[in-house]
Amino acid sequence: MAAPTTHNLAVDGRRLWETIHETATFGGTPKGGVRRLTLTDEDRQVRDWFRSACEALGCTVTIDDMGNMFARRSGRRDDVAPIAFGSHLDTQPTGGKFDGVLGVLAGLEVLRTLHDAGYETSAPLELVNWTNEEGSRFAPAMLASGVFAGAIAKETALAQTDREGATFGAELDRIGYRGEEPCGVRAFSSFFELHIEQGPILEDEDKMIGVVEAVQGIRWYELTLVGQDAHSGATPMRLRRDALVGAARVVAAVDRIGRARPDCVGTVGLMEVKPNSRNVSPGEVFLTVDFRSPDDAKVAAMESDLIAAVAEITSDLGLEGAPVRIWDQPATIFDAECVAAVEAAAKAFGQGSRRMVSGAGHDAAYVARVAPTAMIFVPCKGGISHNEAESSTLEQCAAGAQVLLDAVLRYDRKFG
């Protein structure tokens, strides 16, 4: 499955593939995807499985008080902080089998390969499952890695609620995954994250490996537009304060703002209409806005445009409401040495690769604030992700796991 490398260790691609499909049964959907929202019963099930799989290899599993899981494999030197790798096991409401999951399970395959070979690294190794990367149940995304990096206050994170009012902290307790270790006290010598690209570039260019050197900046907003519920037949158009009309104009404004500058995107991905009745002009709409760009100045400019647009819309329609920024993740540049290790590993594997910037946010962006970090991408069919149709191949997943293994061992040489 793999070309010769400096250590002559090859991952078992078939075993990784079977493990991916095994875990997809936790929250599996009729369409072949996965619904495994953070801190649900399905999340608890896959966490239990993950802990057992790591302990079977002799790893020590520690859980911090944000639910992050760390499976440690000892090295020759206990005085060195571990080389860490991993991703997340939570999914979107209609997610696929690979987003986040590949990074964790490829990390497990790395540990299994080393275990089978009896290979001892100089530094300890740690496989990480980060809590609530997706942010689809508890906003913002990358919540627990944000606490780990000191970018989000733990008290704020634990108090976050889902749309039904359940708090992050209460749900963490309910599934039994609030550990005793304070989040953020653990140190890494480096961190590597493997992920599907979630875009079409690698597939379009027929490249197997993306050497990720940066993650673009992201800002999230919430907006509640308040007008007046009104009877759809008895209220003249000129006397309405229709919040949904305002929301429609905001959606159009976000689309216009995202298109106005190169390398920028804007998205309204969630909307809730009240009272949501067919014969009532809606009096309240809640919606979210997502802006992204590799250039933080452009993200700030999009925010200014949004504030101005919403002010104009609410004034024109007699509505109330203003966008509230709930998350600001600046653009991240990854560590040159870690990126070089990934690039060298990709070349040793003998597959085509390219350097690239991640359009999606990842836990690695927060970890990069406290440890040298890099990412590895592999293709996904059609660039489709956050979708039950999300797909990658056995060969692509195995290639990513092989590059992960090789990059980790290359970085480990500095401690030998």
Side-chain angles (χ1 to χ4, degrees):
M1 185 65 66
T5 62
T6 55
H7 48 73
N8 294 319
L9 291 175
V11 301
D12 186 336
R14 173 59 60 181
R15 179 170 59 186
L16 170 59
W17 188 251
E18 291 173 352
T19 304
I20 290 170
H21 285 78
E22 179 182 357
T23 59
T25 62
F26 302 114
T29 65
K31 293 183 178 180
V34 181
R35 178 185 175 87
R36 194 162 58 228
L37 301 181
T38 295
L39 308 185
T40 58
D41 291 341
E42 293 78 15
D43 188 22
R44 175 185 53 76
Q45 291 167 2
V46 78
R47 285 167 173 268
D48 290 347
W49 177 94
F50 174 70
R51 176 162 53 185
S52 295
C54 293
E55 290 176 343
L57 299 175
C59 295
T60 301
V61 179
T62 303
I63 304 165
D64 71 18
D65 56 8
M66 284 295 293
N68 297 317
M69 303 177 70
F70 307 90
R72 185 184 183 99
R73 183 179 192 266
S74 297
R76 288 188 294 272
R77 295 183 55 182
D78 290 333
D79 62 318
V80 173
I83 300 172
F85 43 91
S87 193
H88 61 97
L89 292 171
D90 66 312
T91 76
Q92 289 286 319
T94 52
K97 298 182 180 73
F98 302 91
D99 174 7
V101 178
L102 174 61
V104 177
L105 300 186
L108 178 62
E109 178 56 33
V110 165
L111 295 180
R112 285 172 168 173
T113 300
L114 296 174
H115 178 78
D116 291 347
Y119 189 103
E120 187 178 23
T121 54
S122 294
L125 304 181
E126 283 195 352
L127 173 57
V128 188
N129 170 37
W130 299 107
T131 303
N132 194 63
E133 191 275 350
E134 293 293 357
S136 52
R137 185 182 182 197
F138 299 99
M142 297 123 67
L143 188 64
S145 60
V147 174
F148 182 88
I152 300 173
K154 184 189 302 181
E155 295 74 17
T156 299
L158 292 171
Q160 293 303 302
T161 60
D162 64 12
R163 297 304 295 164
E164 282 70 49
T167 68
F168 184 99
E171 288 296 273
L172 195 60
D173 289 332
R174 185 186 67 81
I175 69 166
Y177 270 90
R178 192 199 293 247
E180 295 182 0
E181 178 176 288
C183 183
V185 301
R186 186 169 293 256
F188 300 150
S189 66
S190 59
F191 179 73
F192 295 88
E193 182 171 1
L194 168 64
H195 210 279
I196 57 171
E197 180 193 349
Q198 300 184 281
I201 297 172
L202 291 175
E203 184 180 62
D204 180 65
E205 297 183 2
D206 195 25
K207 304 288 188 184
M208 182 66 87
I209 299 295
V211 180
V212 186
E213 53 188 354
V215 177
Q216 67 180 347
I218 307 171
R219 288 189 189 179
W220 279 8
Y221 310 84
E222 292 182 346
L223 170 62
T224 301
L225 295 173
V226 179
Q228 178 64 57
D229 301 354
H231 194 289
S232 64
T235 308
M237 300 299 289
R238 62 184 178 83
L239 297 179
R240 295 187 181 193
R241 297 170 56 216
D242 191 321
L244 185 55
V245 172
R249 294 189 187 180
V250 171
V251 172
V254 168
D255 184 73
R256 183 177 65 253
I257 291 166
R259 294 175 185 272
R261 299 174 180 85
D263 302 322
C264 292
V265 291
T267 306
V268 173
L270 187 155
M271 186 179 293
E272 296 176 351
V273 181
K274 295 180 180 180
N276 207 31
S277 173
R278 69 182 64 217
N279 59 347
V280 177
S281 170
E284 181 175 315
V285 175
F286 170 85
L287 59 89
T288 63
V289 178
D290 178 323
F291 284 144
R292 308 188 187 210
S293 173
D295 186 336
D296 289 332
K298 291 181 179 179
V299 178
M302 287 193 289
E303 176 177 280
S304 296
D305 289 351
L306 174 67
I307 292 170
V310 171
E312 181 178 353
I313 291 165
T314 54
S315 176
D316 185 45
L317 296 175
L319 305 176
E320 298 176 358
V324 177
R325 187 204 300 170
I326 65 164
W327 187 35
D328 182 6
Q329 171 62 50
T332 302
I333 306 299
F334 286 139
D335 177 75
E337 185 178 6
C338 290
V339 171
V342 171
E343 193 162 52
K347 289 180 180 178
F349 182 71
Q351 295 286 347
S353 66
R354 65 155 4 245
R355 290 203 174 201
M356 60 195 310
V357 174
S358 173
H362 299 284
D363 292 305
Y366 273 135
V367 181
R369 299 188 182 197
V370 294
T373 299
M375 290 192 71
I376 305 159
F377 278 173
V378 294
C380 53
K381 186 176 181 179
I384 296 172
S385 185
H386 286 189
N387 189 303
E388 290 166 293
E390 177 183 277
S391 179
S392 191
T393 67
L394 184 157
E395 291 75 20
Q396 289 164 344
C397 293
Q402 187 67 47
V403 170
L404 175 63
L405 170 62
D406 196 47
V408 167
L409 295 183
R410 285 173 184 275
Y411 198 89
D412 184 58
R413 291 178 191 167
K414 67 191 295 180
F415 303 114

